[in-house]
Amino acid sequence: MAFSDLEITVIGGGIGGLAAAIALRQRGANVVVLEQAEAIREVGAGLQISPNGLRVLAALGLDTRLAEVSCRGQAVSLRDGARGAEVARVDLAGAEPGYYFVHRADLIDLLGAAAREAGVKLRLLQKVAEVTPGAPPAISLANGDRCGGDLVVGADGLHSVLRPALNGPAEPFFTGQVAWRAVVPNVTDHPAEARVHMGPGRHVVTYPLRDGSVVNMVAVEERKGWVAEGWSHRDEAANLRAAFSGMSPELRRLMEGAEAPGLWGLFRHPVARRWHGEGVAILGDAAHPTLPFLAQGANLALEDAFVLAASLDGAPDVAAGLQRYQARRRDRAAKVIAAANGNAWKYHLRNPLIRGAAHMVLGLASRAAPGQMVKQFDWLYGYDATRGAA
């Protein structure tokens, strides 16, 4: 199969879609990205690029550009939310090739520019209504137009149009947790580390972005009521501050800078059973939405993007390449997502005796064997999607 003869359409101009477009184009395919917005941009907040994701960006030639627009993380600090004292510390200084905190908009700008430089065609204001697998696959747009190619890649996120065509209707369930997100001024001299502020039935993650002048904040609370799933809901900042009024003065001071924070309900989705069909494939959140408790959503999408391109490269045909892609990715994604699903309760211990004992054990382990704290993530951060995938 000659890569230069492949006509590939990617649905979605987010992190996974743009990374896949770049990886496919660098191998010679003719790639078009369909994005429903009027511009390739991401207004979201921050994200963490761990070593496994950074290896993909390095393979795409973009690691230096990432370093220029982000903060290099030095540690993850687990903290008692009410007292503000550090409970345990995971040192990231030696995590190679690096661990970065980056604003989503900056990463999207970087990927969009790289895609254009590589010769990817970006078509804006293209809302996809339906995708029909086949030889060739067909895309129906909301404006009545149709297009396709030899392969259609659904990188269209949580509410993917393509995923149901492969797996039927989605059946997510509410986890009993909601999350606020905001970018606030760094009025506390927040260092270059991710801080997890743990409290009964809630926790807050904070880390600096860009030149350190702002801090990304994700605040999670357990509740029975819920809001609709999605990223575009807004809430009153007073509700955020009230929910975390029992947290440390430092954290409350940061929250004073929040204005109209985003609010969304956290839903758990099963990993898609089928990641590909005739002439079609899905990646990133379209295949495996993840809860934000391991900071791996963007990293998994980057891994998928690279492995998809590498699996197709050298395959006898598209079908064989897609089979190879799912075989290499599904178990990995399922393992990461299971770990994320199991993380929140560790931060939300309600019984003060149990919480105190757990924090004491964490602290002792952190002080007695600091190297072991980061080694427990070797399976995650040590993974290299760029090796053995071609």
Side-chain angles (χ1 to χ4, degrees):
M1 181 178 68
F3 232 81
S4 58
D5 294 334
L6 281 180
E7 301 286 339
I8 300 176
T9 300
V10 177
I11 305 172
I15 292 168
L18 290 172
I22 295 166
L24 292 162
R25 179 61 189 151
Q26 286 180 346
R27 287 167 169 78
N30 299 306
V31 185
V32 175
V33 173
L34 303 181
E35 168 56 44
Q36 65 180 348
E38 63 183 13
I40 296 290
R41 63 169 179 253
E42 173 63 69
V43 296
L47 53 84
Q48 302 176 49
I49 299 297
S50 50
N52 48 308
L54 186 59
R55 291 186 184 97
V56 172
L57 292 174
L60 299 178
L62 301 176
D63 51 332
T64 300
R65 294 193 203 181
L66 176 75
E68 292 171 351
V69 298
S70 58
C71 292
R72 180 156 183 166
Q74 298 301 307
V76 174
S77 174
L78 302 177
R79 309 178 80 81
D80 182 285
R83 295 186 298 112
E86 184 171 85
V87 172
R89 189 173 187 83
V90 180
D91 182 17
L92 298 176
E96 294 299 335
Y99 197 112
Y100 287 90
F101 308 134
V102 62
H103 198 291
R104 287 176 182 270
D106 295 336
L107 181 56
I108 290 292
D109 286 348
L110 183 159
L111 290 168
R116 292 184 182 94
E117 292 167 10
V120 174
K121 298 176 182 176
L122 304 178
R123 293 178 55 190
L124 306 176
L125 295 172
Q126 304 295 306
K127 183 175 177 57
V128 174
E130 184 179 12
V131 180
T132 305
I139 299 172
S140 299
L141 299 173
N143 63 9
D145 289 346
R146 291 174 64 86
C147 58
D150 299 303
L151 172 64
V152 173
V153 178
D156 46 347
L158 190 63
H159 302 294
S160 172
V161 174
L162 179 51
R163 174 173 169 142
L166 296 173
N167 296 276
E171 296 183 358
F173 67 89
F174 180 55
T175 63
Q177 300 171 100
V178 299
W180 289 265
R181 62 173 184 170
V183 176
V184 300
N186 187 0
V187 296
T188 63
D189 196 25
H190 197 299
E193 61 188 33
R195 290 183 166 179
V196 183
H197 311 259
M198 303 177 289
R202 70 206 66 227
H203 78 277
V204 184
V205 178
T206 58
Y207 52 86
L209 296 174
R210 293 176 169 158
D211 59 358
S213 62
V214 295
V215 171
N216 187 71
M217 176 183 297
V218 178
V220 177
E221 179 193 34
E222 296 176 4
R223 65 161 66 163
K224 293 181 179 179
W226 53 274
V227 296
E229 187 175 28
W231 290 89
S232 59
H233 311 290
R234 292 289 164 187
D235 193 25
E236 296 291 333
N239 293 333
L240 165 65
R241 290 191 280 269
F244 295 88
S245 60
M247 292 300 209
S248 68
E250 180 179 349
L251 185 56
R252 296 201 308 271
R253 188 179 173 205
L254 276 175
M255 286 186 172
E256 286 298 323
E259 299 178 1
L263 172 66
W264 74 104
L266 300 181
F267 287 72
R268 188 179 296 179
H269 295 248
V271 175
R273 182 176 58 85
R274 296 183 62 201
W275 289 32
H276 66 90
E278 190 172 23
V280 298
I282 52 177
L283 60 78
D285 281 352
H288 46 72
T290 181
L291 295 174
F293 301 141
L294 206 56
Q296 286 300 301
N299 295 291
L300 285 178
L302 289 169
E303 290 180 8
D304 287 351
F306 192 92
V307 174
L308 173 63
S311 297
L312 288 166
D313 194 3
D317 52 42
V318 169
L322 295 181
Q323 289 174 359
R324 185 184 302 174
Y325 160 63
Q326 176 166 333
R328 289 172 172 169
R329 290 301 303 154
R330 193 179 186 282
D331 287 350
R332 160 72 174 177
K335 182 178 180 180
V336 174
I337 288 166
N341 290 344
N343 244 16
W345 72 269
K346 301 174 185 177
Y347 305 148
H348 293 186
L349 296 173
R350 291 180 179 273
N351 185 302
L353 295 178
I354 295 175
R355 185 169 65 252
H359 286 189
M360 183 176 67
V361 170
L362 271 174
L364 289 172
S366 176
R367 292 187 294 273
Q372 291 301 312
M373 293 294 288
V374 73
K375 280 189 68 66
Q376 65 182 306
F377 295 103
D378 281 355
W379 69 272
L380 179 62
Y381 300 155
Y383 182 86
D384 188 350
T386 72
R387 298 186 62 182

